[in-house]
Each structure stands twice: as structure tokens, then as C-alpha cells.
Amino acid sequence: MAESGSLPTGFGELEVLAVGMVLLVEALTGLCLNSLTILSFCKTPELRTPTHLLVLSLALADSGISLNALVAATSSLLRVPHRRWPYGSNGCQAHGFQGFVTALASICSSAAIAWGRYHHYCSRSQLAWNTAISLVICVWLSSAFWAALPLLGWGHYDYEPLGTCCTLDYSRGDRNFTSFLFTMAFFNFFVPLFITFISYRLMEQKLRKTGHLQVNTTLPARTLLFGWGPYALLYLYATIADVSSISPKLQMVPALVAKTVPTINAINYALGGEMVHRGIWQCLSPQGSGLDRAR
């Protein structure tokens, strides 16, 4: 991992600025789109349903990922001359914890949405409020539990190679990291990925039998693989080989790819949904705002 008091190894000034600009664009785009999703849920009564509560949970998690990226972007762009992490060791631990919580919550919320849609389309019944609330609580409690373990000694948070953001330290590759990684990845990546894939697969089969295929059944699982797969490969490599053999620039690729997930999710689950899209339009249009005030 990069030391916080010097220019990151393998990066020049322009490269640090370039990564900072990419993170800034990703952060602002994700924040804007997911904030619209959250606002539409709060201001549009038609969206206050158990199913859309799961989408709200995903939007909150993705907003947290974008905020995490925004902190990293500002650290990259505003620190002169070394653009190092400006918040100290405790700030690094807090940043790593916040980023890990929201990343896990995003992954698990995607799986919860998949199961909720399977339940809706295959049982032809609405998801109950008690079930949706229980799912959301489980998602966030589980995410907080796993993210807290590195603070308690199982795993460790440290600087990314760029030195301006913090994440799970994969550079050690010791037994402590390996045991934590495989246990965490099984419950928080492979299980949610399996739930997402099998839920949409069963839903696709059901809809084909009825002659109606109204949802994209492959994009959610592909998004999980695209967004978090590079991190999974990097972590897996770190358990079997010396990660220092990978260039620092290449090690930053998973972080940059993962920060695109909030934008992709917002387009897929919010802007791609007719009702949520309508709610966002009502929030943005003057006529929609006037109707809200009239109510």
C-alpha cells in the first residue's frame, strides 16, 4: 500500500490528477442520479411500496459509494504538492469502513431486489412491508458487521496504491487476510451473486411461459460481475502471489471500475423503471412540484 507522506509509487503528478478527475466524475454522476432516486421515493406516494423500498436501500448504498469516491477525488485533486491522504490514520480507517459498508450493502441490496422481483413475478403477489423492512435491516446490519471486523483485527484497512483513499489491505497476503477474504467473499459476493442470477433465471423462465418478458434478466448479474469482479480477482491473486508484482496503476483499476456501479445501478433500477422514471420526472418538472404543493 502507498505511504501517506510521499508521492504514490508508480504515479506522476498528472496521473494522480487524472485518477482524481475520473473519481470526481464518477462520484458526482452517481450522487446526482441516486439522489434523484431517493428524492423521487420521498416525494412520490406511488413509489412508497415494499418493492421500491429495496431500490431505495440500493440508492442509499450507492450514494455512500459515490461519497467515498468524492472524498478520494478531493484528496487527489486538492492536496499540494504530494496529494496524499490528508485525514490521518483514523480517517483512513473511517474511510475504509464507510466504503466497505456501502459496497457490501450495494451488493446485497441488488440480491434483495432480485429476490423481490422473483417473488412478485412468480407468486403474483406484492412483497409485504414486513418482509421488505426485514430484508433492508438484514442487508445493512450484515454489511456493518463484516465491515467492522477489520477494525477489530480480522483483516485491516490501509491506503490504496494511489495513497488518497483507503480500502481493505490486500498487500499482506497473510493467513489473517486470507481467512477473512474467503469467508467474507463467500457470504457477501458469491451468495448474493448466486441469488441474483438464480432469481432472474427463474423469473425469466416463468415470464417466457406466460409470453411476457418485461424485465432485463441478465443485466443485474452482469453488473455485479463487471463492477466487483475485478476486486475479487485482485483479492484472489493477493492470496496466492505477491501483489507487488502488479503495477500500482493496474491495482487502481478495480477501484475505478467499482465506482461506476452507482451510476449503472441508478440507470438500471431507477431510470430504467417506468414508475421510478415517472417519479423522478415529477420531482424535476415544475408541474410535478406544483401538484405536490397542491396536495
Side-chain angles (χ1 to χ4, degrees):
M1 292 292 179
E3 295 180 1
S4 62
S6 60
L7 192 68
T9 302
F11 291 91
E13 289 283 331
L14 290 179
E15 292 165 335
V16 173
L17 286 172
V19 173
M21 286 300 300
V22 172
L23 286 170
L24 184 63
V25 171
E26 291 176 330
L28 294 179
T29 304
L31 276 175
C32 289
L33 292 179
N34 284 286
S35 294
L36 285 175
T37 304
I38 296 168
L39 182 63
S40 65
F41 181 89
C42 296
K43 296 191 66 175
T44 309
E46 292 84 358
L47 294 180
R48 295 169 196 161
T49 65
T51 300
H52 288 112
L53 179 64
L54 302 180
V55 177
L56 175 65
S57 174
L58 178 63
L60 289 170
D62 286 341
S63 295
I65 294 175
S66 297
L67 283 173
N68 190 272
L70 185 61
V71 172
T74 55
S75 300
S76 301
L77 297 173
L78 300 181
R79 289 297 294 182
V80 179
H82 298 307
R83 290 175 174 77
R84 63 182 180 271
W85 177 254
Y87 307 113
S89 178
N90 290 335
C92 178
Q93 298 301 303
H95 186 255
F97 172 78
Q98 186 270 344
F100 207 31
V101 167
T102 51
L104 295 180
S106 176
I107 294 171
C108 294
S109 292
S110 296
I113 292 172
W115 182 86
R117 289 185 173 181
Y118 162 76
H119 179 273
H120 172 71
Y121 282 101
C122 295
S123 67
R124 297 297 179 182
S125 61
Q126 292 291 337
L127 192 66
W129 273 109
N130 288 341
T131 303
I133 292 173
S134 298
L135 282 174
V136 171
I137 292 175
C138 286
V139 162
W140 285 94
L141 286 180
S142 173
S143 301
F145 168 77
W146 285 101
L149 290 177
L151 299 177
L152 301 175
W154 197 18
H156 182 68
Y157 293 120
D158 203 349
Y159 302 101
E160 289 266 20
L162 189 63
T164 55
C165 50
C166 297
T167 188
L168 188 66
D169 183 6
Y170 53 84
S171 65
R172 301 186 181 189
D174 54 14
R175 182 175 298 179
N176 179 282
F177 166 77
T178 303
S179 61
F180 174 75
L181 172 69
F182 281 110
T183 308
M184 180 275 301
F186 175 78
F187 288 105
N188 294 282
F189 181 71
F190 292 108
V191 169
L193 180 64
F194 174 78
I195 292 173
T196 301
F197 175 79
I198 200 68
S199 295
Y200 280 108
R201 187 68 175 174
L202 292 174
M203 183 171 60
E204 180 182 16
Q205 294 176 355
K206 180 71 173 181
L207 292 174
R208 281 181 176 174
K209 288 181 180 179
T210 60
H212 298 88
L213 188 57
Q214 303 170 339
V215 294
N216 190 326
T217 59
T218 60
L219 183 59
R222 289 179 179 178
T223 300
L224 287 179
L225 282 175
F226 167 78
W228 304 107
Y231 256 134
L233 290 176
L234 179 62
Y235 287 170
L236 178 62
Y237 182 84
T239 64
I240 60 177
D242 184 4
V243 77
S244 63
S245 61
I246 303 177
S247 70
K249 295 174 187 176
L250 190 58
Q251 291 181 46
M252 282 302 300
V253 170
L256 296 177
V257 172
K259 298 301 189 293
T260 65
V261 170
T263 299
I264 297 173
N265 283 341
I267 294 172
N268 182 29
Y269 292 104
L271 299 179
E274 181 180 352
M275 186 173 292
V276 181
H277 186 274
R278 194 187 318 141
I280 292 175
W281 177 250
Q282 289 177 3
C283 292
L284 294 177
S285 65
Q287 292 180 348
S289 300
L291 287 175
D292 288 339
R293 287 192 296 267
R295 290 174 184 172

